[in-house]
Each structure stands twice: as C-alpha cells, then as structure tokens.
C-alpha cells in the first residue's frame, strides 16, 4: 500500500481507434480504464489480471482494471495507463510556468480493491 | 464609382519626369486618371495637398514578411517583441507585435503607415508557398508577392547537369505557376545543397556540387537565361555565394562577370562587398568602389542594398550555412530549417553595434553603395528586412542620404578604423527628393516590371503617399500626412483609417506541359506529399490577385 | 467530379485525400465513398481507418443551448453575448480544425480581448519554449526520407501513436541518398517503457523514468569530449559504454535526427528536457548534419501554432486582454487560467478540456459559460452553454492543415455534411461580436 509507483499515461493503438468511435462509448472508456503493470509487481501486490485497483495521486484517485504488461515492457515500479479521462484526473493544476501539468511520470499509490 | 482629387500638391514622379511640380492628381475607381476636362466634375473626396509632397506609394522589392522562415523567427523570439511598443487593436483594426519580425497585421499597418503600398517577400521555398499565401491573407493594405527559391532545387540542378535548357525552362515556368510566385530567386547557388549534404559550403563559382556535378556558375547562368527566356517581369534575383565573408567581393564580381550581359538583380549587395581574407579581421575592408564601378559600367545589372542599421534584429536567410556561421560567430540561438528537394533556412538573432568595427563598416558599405551608384534607377532601397535592420528604418536611411551633415555626425561615433577602410567620409553626395522617389518606388517598380506601380501616370494604381516637408527627413518620411491605397485614404497622420486588403501579385507564366510527366515521376519518387496537393490554387488569394504578364519571347 | 471517378451513381473515389487524425497528415488517402459514408480508406493506417470508417453523420441539432436544441442563429447570438460580455474570456483548442477556422478564432480572441491558447500547451508547448531558448535544427520529413542514416526516437511510441511515420517518412522509405531504405538506416529508440515500437529499433535503451535530461546532457558532454563518471549507469540505467557507442554513431553518421515525443515535454523538467535534446542535435552539427523534431499530435496542431504566431507573434498562451498580444506560458495558458479560476467564459474549438484537463481546471470550467464547437459529443460539449455540432474537417470540409513539419496541405473532402464548418460558425460569431462591441462604443 505504501510504496510509490511511477505512472506513465500514453497513447495506445486501441486508445486511438476507439477514440474515433467516441470518447463516451464503451470501448474507449474500457481502454482508458485499463492499467498495465509489471507482472512481478502484480505478484508482489497480489493482484491478478482483470482485478480492480485504486490509483491515488496527490491530486485525485481513480479505479482501474489491472492487466499484466508484456514481459520486459515495464520495469518494476512503473505503471502504464492509456490516455483518457482517468489518467487526467490524477494530474494537478500546477504547470510550473509552462502551461503543461506534470502529465507523465506521476507518483501514485496503488491499492487493490476487494 | 469613386473619384478622389489630391489638390495642389508638389509632385515627385520620376517615371514621368515630374520633379517637384505643383499639380493635381485624380484617382477614379482605384486608378490614376487624367484631370477631368469638364469644369463641373466634383470629386467624392478632395485632399488638400497644398505645400505637401506627393509621391507614388513606396515599393519594397526585397523583404522577409511571410512564410515559414519569418514565422519560425516569430515563434523563436518572444524577447524581441516584449520591449517593442505593440500595435494595439482598434474597433477597425487588429492588434499585433513588432520587434524585428512583426506579426502579419502589424506588418501591413506599419508599411502602410510609412507610405509603402507594395512589398515582396524575397525567399519562399515552393513547398511552403501555400503558407506564404495564407499569411498574405492576413497581411492588410499592401499588395504583395514573393520570389521562389530555385538555386538549390534538385530538379534544377539535374537539368543543368544534363544540359536540358528547355526542360529547365518548363520546370521553372510550372513551379512559378504552381506556387503563384512572382520571380526566380537564387540563394547561395549550390552552397545550400552542399551544406545539406554534410559539407560546409561552396566557396567559389567553379566548385562542383557533390552528387549533382554542377557549379554555382552554371546554376547562375542557366537560371538567369531561363528567367529571360520565360519573359518574367523581374529578372533573376541573385543572393550571391559567400554572403558576409571577408573577401567575398571577388565572388560577387565573378558573379557579375559570369552573367555576360544578361539582365539580373543582385540583392543585398552590401553583404557581398567585403575585402580581406577569411579569418583575418584586420584586413576586412570595403570593396564597394570596385563593385560599384562595375555596376555603373554594366546596365544589365541592378542592385538593392541591404543596409545595416545599429540595433537589435534577426538574421533570417534561405542560406543555411550562413545561419550556422552566424550562430558560431554570435553564440546566439540558431534555427536551421531545411526543405526537401528545394531549399535551406537559417535564423539567428543579431545585434549590430555602433562600436563594433565590423558592424560599423557594414553600415558604411551600405551607404557607399547608395552614394557610388551613379544611376539611381539601378539601385533600390532595402535593409533586406529584417537582416540589416527593420523596414521601419527606411526614413532613417533617407535622412542619411539626404543630409551629409547628419551622416558625418554618425560617422564620428563609429570606430575610427572604419574611416580608413571605406571611402564614405569622402562622399559629399546628397540625394534629392526626386532621387529618393526613384530608389524607394519608381526604380524598384521598374526593376520588378510593375508598370502600374511606382508612379502617378495615367493608368497607374491609385497608391499614393503624401508627406509634410521637413528639414528632418526622418520625421518627414516616418509619418506621412496621408496614404492612399487604390484611391482609398487608409492612413492619416500615421493612423490607420480604414482596413482593406491589397492584392497578391504573381507572374503569369506559361510552360510546356509536356514535361509534367517527367516532373511528376521525379516528384513522386522523392517528395513526401502528393503531386496533386502541391500546386496552390487561386482561392488562397482571398483578397484578389493580379497575374502580371510575361513579355512575349 | 473530374478527380473523383464516378463508379456508379452512389460510389465515388476521392484520391489524394488527407487524413487529419495524427500529425503525420498523410495526404495519399484513396477513399471509397458511398453516399455519406466512407467504406474504404486505402493507404490509411489503423488509426486512419478508424478515423474515416467511423465517420458518419449523426442525428443532432446544429446548436444546443443549455442542452436544448436551437437554431444556428440562436446559438450564434448566445455565443456572441457570452463572449462580448466576458471580462476574462479564453479561446482554446484549435488543433483539430482548419487554418481557415483558426484564423477566425484568433480574430475573435483579439476583438474580445481573450487569452488564446491551443492544445499545443498540453502537448509540445514546452518544446516551443525550448525552441525559444536554444533554437532548433529542423527539416521537413522528406529530408529524413532522402538523407537520414541515423534515426533516434526519444520518449515516444510511434508504432501506436503515428503508425505511418516509419513507413512513409523516417525508416522504411527509399530515398535519394538512402537507396536501400531501412537497410541504410540505424534506428534507435529511447524510452522508459519497452513499447511496441522497440521491436523495430536496432538499438533500444530503456532508461529510468525521469532521467531523460541526465542522459541527454551526458551525451552532450561526451560529444564535446567531457569525461563522464561511469556511475551514470546507476543514475540513468544506461552504461557509459552504451553512451559512447551512440555518440560515435551520432558523430559519424551523414544525417542524424532525434524525433522526440511527449515523454520529454510532459515529464517533470519539460522544456529543459527538450532543450537538452535540441542542444545535443545542434552541437552535433560541428561534425555532421543533425536535426531534432517534436513528433506532433493532432492533425492540425502545427497549423494552430503557425496561425497564432503569424497573427500575434507568439505561438500559444497569448493574452489579448490589454488590447495587444502578450505571451506567458503558465499565466495565459488554458490549464492555468482554468485551474486558477480566472477565466469567466470560454470558446472551445475541437477539443475536450472537460475530459482531459486537471481536476481543478475541470471544476472551474463547469462553473463558467462556454461555447463548444465539435462534431462529436464529449464531456466538454455536454457541459457547454452553447454547443455547435460542426462538420468534420478533411472529411466534410476543405481547408488547410500543417503537417508536423510545417508543410501545409490542402484537404479534399469526401462528402458534404448537413452541419456547418467551424469556420462558418466562427465567422458568424465574429460578425455578431463585432456588432455588439460597436454598439457598446456608440452607446
């Protein structure tokens, strides 16, 4: 519960194709609520494919479905989430005089939902 | 039907040999007309120009005001604008920023506010022609056009190497048509391709360009001949090799000689008139006398100056290796932007300092050019905006030319060594208003082949600048009393009264379309956009266009 | 119909059409159009196919005011009233529409004294700031196709975000000086994640998160012959030997390029990360030709930068509140004007800040009146005071877009839409806003 993960939101192929179906449609919503995680981390945290987790940042929290990343894709401690409404809810409003909130590489905590 | 009478002004109209004659100018529906013979004709508007100086609207034949290079400079330099007084919006006009690279609306207003009504951008890569036209659509008041970059275009180099002059002619004609451009521009012929290919530059007219097996000399002569064969209204517009380098006057002279009597325009000649050797600043000196003598003796040549003025500005050029050179010399930020198959680009901020020997000598060399070319019809005023300084410096240049006392005062402030390395201190010549009217409107219009610009004869465009005489010529030319565009009063005492949009000028070229399949084959092999998406059609000229005829040959 | 060969009464082919989904702006689409549907998009990638084939005209009112159907005129009137009466309006979005529409949007911002900002500020805005810091050595994508023998992707996943970048521009094509195409190029990928793009790279570096700057700066040092402590590996995940190898490749290539993604611009450090990449590429020009380019996102985000820059002098984050343009990222950028609760009205064109901005920004947007132009429903259109359902650019409307390398490309629409273009709606709003402002002056 206490260790800090680094979250990288980003584009995926499915995020892009389902975006064209509509941001309010089920496929896009499903894709952007799917959290990819290093299998070792999942074992360590007792999370299995398809289980729900809560991700919490300093600024907000969202509930996501967890999925194992391909071997080697994510090192331990790194999480990936396709861009969308949930990833944005974890961002703060501060932009450090750039106009850009910290949108990648965010510190988050992960909690398995029972 | 609108009829305007400019009454009783003192007219300077060199094209029509009118030198300070008090007369009326009549404009009907945007064009100059003969005074009506009937006594009961009443104009819709009469401007009392009693005691005022009346000239045609100014014509800037070489500036950088639109397109990718200019816009990259805008994006790169917020600091250049922060301290410059902005253009504020009014109920009728848009706001903008100034500095050395004004935004589009500001560009139109500022030129018009100075009495200039026609401006040409000097260097557009064909692939970005659509961009330049889009910016023109947001550039108010002035008529405008642009020159198209050819001197490092791969198809051009290939045709020259293959000795295919007819195919070259068809290609150039097609390109000008596809881009809706006005003239053929050659920038550092061959040198940019060498730079893009990983080399540093070409250094003389007879160095071969790797892979293409052509020399700068061949590129210059072929494109000069092609522009003549196409009967373009403006001859080839040449930015010589080795710009800015000590000792480059040899290259410039060789270029002039290579033309062998063909008509050509050599641009920002100041930057090409340096004596001395590479890396030896101690030998840096003016070679204006030698070059001006050659120009004086060869009527096929015209030049514009590219005057340097002291202060902060932005160097922007299609000459990629020059951008790198300036970056290395100044240590300031540098943008390089290369265009596939066509062109290069370099942008670097630069500050010309009065106390710098090199900069002050550049300033002096520019003035030498104005004063050493005997025939003002063969020299046009320019700063190569913004390279030597902003176009807003034109009134300052006029004062330097018309007032030798003022000139000598400035000369006293520059490093004394400048006096030894240039003849400026010995030149007493002062320009008259008539000669100023030549180098700021009549001559550039004639060089451009614009028969309806630069003068006030019957049939000319109703573009007129009216100035209040003043011993201080800077004040006189910085703030016209009235400016008319197409017969409409758009500026009164420096304030924009009406926002209208000028037209786009391009050359009405014809070409042999039998060459299109060959061009298309080449194009589709190397470009990254579709051949059919390359040409710019008329509807990009949202404010109207004028296709200027080519002469029959 | 000269270019669109008629196959039968209903089916048409539109050649040389342009996909505006991502910044690649591929203009070689061959669309099969049956009535008001695109049934085939030849040459399109997976994203392009989704863009074209999912496009259909939905039943929707042309305008809704507070969720209720309204006429276009009623929508324009309400929109103009909101903007003309605002004290701190914002104009935002603009990356998914034509330059023609963008030009009108900036005009409206100028007339009403708004802050105008585009999705650039939450994409490569920091890259724009880095460009202002150190300049940029850049080129059109055809230069890469024809000359590049070393292509580095940094902090991006083009396989999924820009699927044709490799095949059309950067890796696969045969070019003038790269006659063997992919075989003549070395591809490098640097990322924190071994994404789908990694499979295509000859060299893959998985660097530690938030260490891009450190790696780029170390490379700069090595290029300049400065010694680097081997402990750099513990810091960044990349060994000194790996770095020395890459530096050798960079110095000895004929034409190298770094394509950087939002891994640099969105991660802590932002414009400093990008400055490091731009500086590295610049420095290498003492040895060879070396370039760096951001891989831009939405179809016409580059056009938005260009239009805002030529009209105001600044690329994004511009306030016209004092009657002339001022630029200050962090002050006039939309994330900030919303998150700080400053904006009191908005004109949002083709973007979804209610769906992808930070929590405080979203909350403030909910509290203020705003106008949204979008062909599709989104969180933003749902909360808009006035929503105009507009035609989709490139599919329904002509116009101009700028590819990620600033090359302007014309659009060839596939079929008409019953909905007006963004430009049409914005022109109507602009006209009415000007009338209202003039009335105010004379009263």
């Amino acid at each position: 519960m206490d260790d800090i993960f680094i979250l990288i939101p980003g584009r995926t192929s499915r995020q892009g194709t389902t975006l064209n179906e509509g941001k309010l449609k089920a496929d896009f919503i499903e894709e952007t609520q799917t959290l990819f995680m290093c299998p070792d981390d999942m074992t360590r945290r007792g999370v299995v494919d398809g289980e729900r987790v809560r991700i919490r940042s300093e600024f907000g929290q969202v509930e996501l479905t967890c999925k194992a990343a391909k071997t080697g894709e994510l090192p331990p401690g790194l999480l990936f989430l396709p861009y969308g409404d949930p990833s944005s809810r974890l961002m703060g409003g501060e932009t450090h005089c750039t106009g850009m909130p910290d949108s990648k590489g965010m510190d988050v905590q992960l909690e398995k939902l029972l | 039907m609108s009829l305007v009478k400019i009454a009783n002004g003192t007219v300077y109209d060199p094209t029509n040999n009118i030198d300070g004659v008090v007369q009326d100018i009549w404009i009907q529906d945007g064009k100059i007309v003969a005074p009506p013979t009937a006594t009961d004709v009443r104009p819709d508007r009469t401007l009392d120009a009693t005691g005022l100086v009346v000239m045609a609207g100014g014509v800037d034949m070489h500036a950088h005001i639109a397109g990718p290079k200019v816009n990259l400079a805008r994006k790169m330099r917020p600091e250049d604008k922060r301290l410059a007084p902005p253009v504020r919006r009014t109920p009728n006009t848009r706001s903008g920023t100034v500095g050395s690279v004004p935004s589009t609306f500001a560009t139109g207003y500022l030129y018009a506010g100075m009495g200039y009504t026609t401006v040409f951008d000097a260097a557009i890569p064909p692939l970005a022609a659509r961009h330049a036209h889009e910016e023109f659509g947001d550039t108010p008041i002035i008529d405008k056009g642009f020159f198209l970059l050819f001197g490092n275009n791969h198809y051009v180099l290939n045709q020259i190497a293959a000795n295919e002059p007819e195919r070259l002619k068809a290609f150039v004609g097609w390109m000008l048509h596809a881009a809706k451009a006005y003239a053929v521009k050659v920038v550092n012929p061959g040198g940019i391709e060498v730079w893009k290919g990983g080399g540093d530059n070409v250094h003389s007219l007879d160095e071969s360009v790797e892979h293409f097996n052509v020399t700068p000399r061949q590129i210059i002569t072929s494109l000069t001949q092609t522009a003549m064969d196409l009967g373009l209204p403006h001859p080839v517009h040449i930015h010589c090799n080795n710009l800015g380098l000590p000792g480059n006057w040899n290259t410039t002279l060789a270029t002039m000689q290579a033309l062998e009597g063909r008509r050509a325009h050599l641009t920002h000649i100041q930057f090409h008139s340096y004596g001395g050797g590479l890396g030896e600043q101690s030998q840096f000196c003016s070679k204006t006398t030698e070059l001006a003598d050659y120009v004086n003796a060869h009527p096929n040549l015209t030049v514009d100056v590219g005057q340097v003025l002291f202060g902060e500005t932005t160097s922007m050029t299609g000459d990629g290796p020059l951008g790198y050179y300036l970056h290395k010399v100044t240590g300031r930020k540098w943008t390089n932007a290369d265009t596939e198959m066509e062109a290069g680009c370099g942008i670097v901020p630069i500050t010309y300092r009065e106390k710098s020997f090199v900069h002050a000598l550049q300033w002096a060399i520019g003035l030498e050019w104005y004063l050493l070319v005997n025939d003002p019809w063969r020299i046009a005023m320019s700063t190569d905006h913004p390279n030597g300084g902003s176009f807003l410096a034109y009134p300052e240049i006029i004062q330097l030319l018309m007032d030798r006392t003022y000139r000598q005062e400035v000369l006293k402030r520059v490093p004394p060594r400048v006096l030894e390395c240039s003849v400026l201190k010995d030149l007493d010549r002062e320009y008259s208003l008539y000669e100023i009217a030549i180098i700021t409107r009549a001559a550039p219009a004639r060089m451009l082949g614009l028969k309806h610009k630069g003068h006030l004869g019957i049939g000319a465009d109703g573009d007129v600048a009216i100035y209040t005489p003043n011993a201080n010529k800077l004040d006189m030319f910085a703030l016209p009393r009235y400016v008319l565009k197409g017969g409409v009063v758009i500026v009164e005492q420096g304030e924009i009264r009406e926002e209208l949009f000028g037209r786009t000028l391009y050359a009405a070229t014809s070409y042999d379309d039998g060459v299109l399949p060959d061009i298309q084959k080449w194009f589709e092999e190397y470009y990254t956009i579709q051949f059919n998406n390359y040409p710019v059609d008329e509807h990009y000229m949202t404010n109207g266009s004028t296709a200027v005829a080519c002469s029959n040959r | 119909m000269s270019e669109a060969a008629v196959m039968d009464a209903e089916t048409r082919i539109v050649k040389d059409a342009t996909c505006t989904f991502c910044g690649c702006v591929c203009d070689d689409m061959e669309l099969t159009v049956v009535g008001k549907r695109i049934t085939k998009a030849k040459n399109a990638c997976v994203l392009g196919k989704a863009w074209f084939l999912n496009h259909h005209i939905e039943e929707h009112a042309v305008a809704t005011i507070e969720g209720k159907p309204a006429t276009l005129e009623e929508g324009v009137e309400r929109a103009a009233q909101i903007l003309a009466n605002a004290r701190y309006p914002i104009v935002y979005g603009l990356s998914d529409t034509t330059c023609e529409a963008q030009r009108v949007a900036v005009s409206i911002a100028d007339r009403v004294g708004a802050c105008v900002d585009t999705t650039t500020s939450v994409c490569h805005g920091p890259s724009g700031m880095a460009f202002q810091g150190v300049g940029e050595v850049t080129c059109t994508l055809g230069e890469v196709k024809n000359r590049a023998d070393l292509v580095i992707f940094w902090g991006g996943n083009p396989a999924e975000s820009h699927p044709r970048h490799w095949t059309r521009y950067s890796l696969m094509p045969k070019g003038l000086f790269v006659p063997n195409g992919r075989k003549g190029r070395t591809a490098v990928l640097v990322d924190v994640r071994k994404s789908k793009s990694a499979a295509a790279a000859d060299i893959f570096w998985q660097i530690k998160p938030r260490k891009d700057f450190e790696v780029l700066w170390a490379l700069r040092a090595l290029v300049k012959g400065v010694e680097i402590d081997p402990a750099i590996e513990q810091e960044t995940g990349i060994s000194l030997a790996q770095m020395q190898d890459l530096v050798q490749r960079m110095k000895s290539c004929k034409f190298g390029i770094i394509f950087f993604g939002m891994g640099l611009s969105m991660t802590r450090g932002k414009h400093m990360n990008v400055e490091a990449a731009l500086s590295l590429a610049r420095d290498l020009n003492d040895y060879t030709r070396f370039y760096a380019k951001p891989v831009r996102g939405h179809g016409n985000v580059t056009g938005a930068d260009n239009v805002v820059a030529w009209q105001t002098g600044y690329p994004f984050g511009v306030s016209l509140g004092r009657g002339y343009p001022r630029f200050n990222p962090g002050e006039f950028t939309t994330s900030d004007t919303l998150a700080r609760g400053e904006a009191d009205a908005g004109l949002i064109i083709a973007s979804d800040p209610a769906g992808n901005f930070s929590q405080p920004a979203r909350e403030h947007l909910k509290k203020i009146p705003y106008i949204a132009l979008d062909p599709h429903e989104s969180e933003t259109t749902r909360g808009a005071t006035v929503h105009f359902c507009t035609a989709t650019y490139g599919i329904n409307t002509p116009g101009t877009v700028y590819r990620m390398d600033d090359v302007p490309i014309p659009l060839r629409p596939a079929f008409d839409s019953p909905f007006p273009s963004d430009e049409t709606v914005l022109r109507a709003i602009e006209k009415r806003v000007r009338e209202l402002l003039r009335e105010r002056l004379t009263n």
Side-chain angles (χ1 to χ4, degrees), chain C residues 241-289:
Chain C
Q242 285 175 295
M243 290 187 188
Q244 283 164 335
D245 171 63
L246 185 61
V247 165
Q248 187 51 40
R249 290 172 188 274
M250 289 192 292
K251 281 176 148 178
S252 59
C253 72
K254 281 272 288 181
F255 179 118
I257 184 159
I258 302 169
F259 285 108
F260 55 93
M262 294 193 290
L264 293 189
S265 64
M266 283 185 161
T267 306
R268 201 164 72 187
K270 297 165 195 165
H271 57 290
M272 295 306 293
N273 299 333
V274 178
E275 275 200 21
L278 297 180
S279 301
L280 173 61
R282 179 199 61 202
D283 293 351
L284 284 160
N285 279 279
D286 291 347
Y287 304 93
T288 183
R289 289 292 82 73

Side-chain angles (χ1 to χ4, degrees), chain B residues 161-209:
Chain B
N163 193 23
E164 290 275 3
E166 283 305 312
R167 188 173 280 173
L168 175 62
K169 180 183 160 192
F171 176 74
V172 172
W174 173 75
M175 284 289 261
L176 290 167
H177 172 80
K180 298 292 179 292
Y182 193 78
V184 173
K185 175 76 179 295
V186 178
V187 174
N188 185 5
I192 296 157
E193 178 51 39
V194 169
W195 161 259
K196 286 162 71 176
D200 70 334
N201 206 340
V202 293
H203 309 92
S204 75
L205 290 195
D206 297 309
E207 240 169 79
S208 184
V209 177

Side-chain angles (χ1 to χ4, degrees), chain B residues 82 94 324 333 338 540, chain C residues 132 140 286 291 311 327 400:
Chain B
R82 282 224 165 99
R94 297 282 304 277
Y324 177 71
K333 58 188 173 184
D338 294 339
Y540 276 94
Chain C
Q132 294 171 344
T140 66
D286 291 347
Y291 300 78
Q311 289 204 6
F327 170 68
T400 312

Side-chain angles (χ1 to χ4, degrees), chain C residues 14 16-21 25 29 31 33 38 51-52 55 96-98 375 391-401 409-416 421-422:
Chain C
V14 180
D16 302 324
T18 296
C19 173
T20 55
F21 182 72
V25 193
M29 301 293 118
L31 305 178
V33 185
I38 297 165
W51 165 252
F52 286 114
H55 183 79
D96 269 326
T97 190
T98 62
T392 300
Y393 79 135
I395 294 180
N396 307 131
T397 73
T400 312
V401 298
I409 293 172
L411 301 178
R412 297 173 189 272
F415 56 88
D416 289 340
S421 68
D422 291 329

